[in-house]
Amino acid sequence: MNWKKTLIGKWSWKRPFQSLFSIYGVLGVVAVFFADRIIFVPPVPSYDGGLKGLIRLHTRAGEEIAALHYPAAPGMPTLLYSHGNAEDLGQATDLYQEWHDLGFGVCAYDYPGYGESTGMATESSCERAIHSVWEYLKESGLKPGALVIVGRSVGSGPSTWLASHIQPAGLALIAPFTSVYSVPFRAAIFPNDRFQNLKLIRNTRTPLLVIHGENDEVIPPSHGRNLVDASPASDKTFSLIRGAGHNDLFEVAGEGVLRQIADFARRVAP
């Protein structure tokens, strides 16, 4: 018996192409139908209803969104912060407090399914969540010219989306991506890509600051640089943090990151 032929089959020049199409098909099904479960990784909640400053907002679809709001000192802008993946609202309270100690208003929130927010995280539900936060701030009397949107990692998605709709004073992105599918595949080769930041940024003239770690292996710094290059804003900056990766960016240069965003916010929203 020819074991090689039995195990591998008869060779044909068509076989490599058939294999590639099969692999593409399987990955395409995963991308279209299961991507949200892979993209979003809610941690075990780090806080409960007793968190100081906690408020609850509601989206147009009925999700309840947990958020924190520290009002700004007179004449100071407010930072609307979207956190990274695998973390929730309660894990960055020191960051909010440092910004607030400088006089900034800070409003941060949890995506659906994160912390005490209800629902399930998807591109659409995260956009609804940040929109509900903006509606709350607007009803509180805040104007777009006094708002600086800040998004980290996956938070760059809803942040860029909101900026493209309301034209705030500024947009600051920390370790952002050009789109979700462009991270593992280097290009959006599947349908139904999520958070197409590169497409949105091309039509957003909002002043832009992008901060990225030079050793980021999760989202390469080329993503951040490409966003800055594509932005039509006259005021745009790409800041590369030496020696920093993705998850250790604040450990390596936390004070520097905080200061850069503070300086940017003061400049664009005086």
Side-chain angles (χ1 to χ4, degrees):
M1 179 182 291
N2 188 334
W3 290 104
K4 184 176 181 181
K5 184 176 180 180
T6 301
L7 293 173
I8 301 176
K10 186 177 180 180
W11 167 255
S12 167
W13 65 269
K14 295 180 181 179
R15 290 190 62 189
F17 296 98
Q18 292 171 340
S19 297
L20 286 174
F21 280 121
S22 297
I23 293 169
Y24 178 85
V26 171
L27 291 175
V29 169
V30 172
V32 172
F33 296 104
F34 302 101
D36 292 327
R37 297 183 182 276
I38 298 172
I39 295 166
F40 299 102
V41 187
V44 175
S46 68
Y47 65 95
D48 56 29
L51 185 65
K52 182 182 177 182
L54 188 67
I55 58 175
R56 300 185 187 278
L57 309 173
H58 292 87
T59 71
R60 291 169 291 187
E63 296 109 339
E64 185 175 82
I65 301 302
L68 287 174
H69 183 207
Y70 302 157
M76 292 290 286
T78 291
L79 309 179
L80 197 172
Y81 183 72
S82 299
H83 61 68
N85 211 348
E87 62 181 357
D88 66 20
L89 187 63
Q91 292 174 292
T93 52
D94 289 346
L95 176 63
Y96 316 148
Q97 190 61 55
E98 288 190 69
W99 275 327
H100 191 239
D101 289 344
L102 294 173
F104 294 103
V106 180
C107 196
Y109 67 102
D110 262 333
Y111 313 125
Y114 283 64
E116 294 210 342
S117 291
T118 64
M120 176 180 171
T122 65
E123 179 183 31
S124 296
S125 71
C126 289
E127 290 170 354
R128 290 194 298 268
I130 196 171
H131 184 265
S132 71
V133 177
W134 165 240
E135 287 295 313
Y136 160 77
L137 291 172
K138 187 167 63 173
E139 290 171 5
S140 301
L142 192 72
K143 304 295 183 185
L147 180 71
V148 174
I149 299 174
V150 183
R152 179 183 183 189
S153 190
V154 74
S156 67
S159 296
T160 304
W161 175 84
L162 183 63
S164 71
H165 283 73
I166 71 169
Q167 299 299 315
L171 172 64
L173 301 176
I174 306 166
F177 44 67
T178 53
S179 77
V180 168
Y181 291 175
S182 295
V183 176
F185 304 115
R186 302 300 176 102
I189 60 174
F190 296 108
N192 202 23
D193 197 1
R194 270 51 164 197
F195 295 128
Q196 297 185 50
N197 292 340
L198 188 63
K199 180 179 178 180
L200 291 175
I201 210 76
R202 289 188 174 121
N203 299 308
T204 308
R205 296 189 176 277
T206 298
L208 175 66
L209 168 65
V210 172
I211 300 172
H212 223 119
E214 70 167 340
N215 299 329
D216 194 327
E217 295 182 351
V218 178
I219 304 174
S222 58
H223 283 251
R225 193 178 295 278
N226 288 341
L227 288 171
V228 171
D229 290 344
S231 170
S234 57
D235 182 345
K236 57 184 181 179
T237 302
F238 179 72
S239 176
L240 190 67
I241 304 299
R242 302 293 179 186
H246 190 80
N247 295 318
D248 66 351
L249 183 63
F250 277 91
E251 294 175 16
V252 172
E255 287 299 318
V257 172
L258 185 147
R259 185 176 62 254
Q260 284 191 64
I261 293 174
D263 291 344
F264 173 72
R266 290 191 190 98
R267 180 166 54 78
V268 300

